[in-house]
Amino acid sequence: MLTCVAFEVWKRRRRSRSATTRCWAENRLVEVRVMATRPETVADRVSFEYDGFGRRTRVVERHGNMVLQDKYLVWCGSQLCGEVDGSGTVLKAFTT
């Protein structure tokens, strides 16, 4: 079951409001949507995928229908080891 909650935040320093919607399924954050107008190079929707152990395995950032970034999270047991893109290029490597 998908549950979505809308948030509106007032930023005093900028004197602006920011509205987002966050969606959960099975107690996991699966999507964040930003309701403000944004430049085409900035994501207005981010979706998340998980494996059977509940570890986040994929993050897709979109502006409208255009994919800005699609990255996979690499796990070494219960430790996050790194991030790779769809072609297997290492974006970040984490050490413990």
Side-chain angles (χ1 to χ4, degrees), residues 62-83:
R62 294 180 174 88
H63 182 88
N65 291 326
M66 181 175 58
V67 174
L68 301 176
Q69 188 171 35
D70 187 0
K71 59 186 173 185
Y72 295 86
L73 305 178
V74 179
W75 292 86
C76 299
S78 62
Q79 298 291 320
L80 183 60
C81 296
E83 298 176 357

Side-chain angles (χ1 to χ4, degrees), residues 20-21 24 30 44 67 71-72 79 83 92-94:
T20 62
T21 300
W24 290 268
V30 294
D44 59 9
V67 174
K71 59 186 173 185
Y72 295 86
Q79 298 291 320
E83 298 176 357
K92 291 182 185 176
F94 305 108

Side-chain angles (χ1 to χ4, degrees), residues 25-43:
E26 299 176 12
N27 291 324
R28 297 175 184 158
L29 181 65
V30 294
E31 188 172 80
V32 176
R33 297 179 216 138
V34 179
M35 301 302 162
T37 304
R38 306 189 76 157
E40 290 183 8
T41 56
V42 178

Side-chain angles (χ1 to χ4, degrees), residues 10-58:
W10 173 255
K11 298 177 182 176
R12 264 193 328 188
R13 297 181 92 191
R14 294 185 185 165
R15 295 184 182 194
S16 66
R17 292 182 184 195
S18 173
T20 62
T21 300
R22 298 174 189 162
C23 299
W24 290 268
E26 299 176 12
N27 291 324
R28 297 175 184 158
L29 181 65
V30 294
E31 188 172 80
V32 176
R33 297 179 216 138
V34 179
M35 301 302 162
T37 304
R38 306 189 76 157
E40 290 183 8
T41 56
V42 178
D44 59 9
R45 186 170 44 129
V46 181
S47 57
F48 306 98
E49 293 180 11
Y50 298 84
D51 65 10
F53 298 107
R55 301 176 298 193
R56 189 174 292 160
T57 57
R58 186 176 182 195

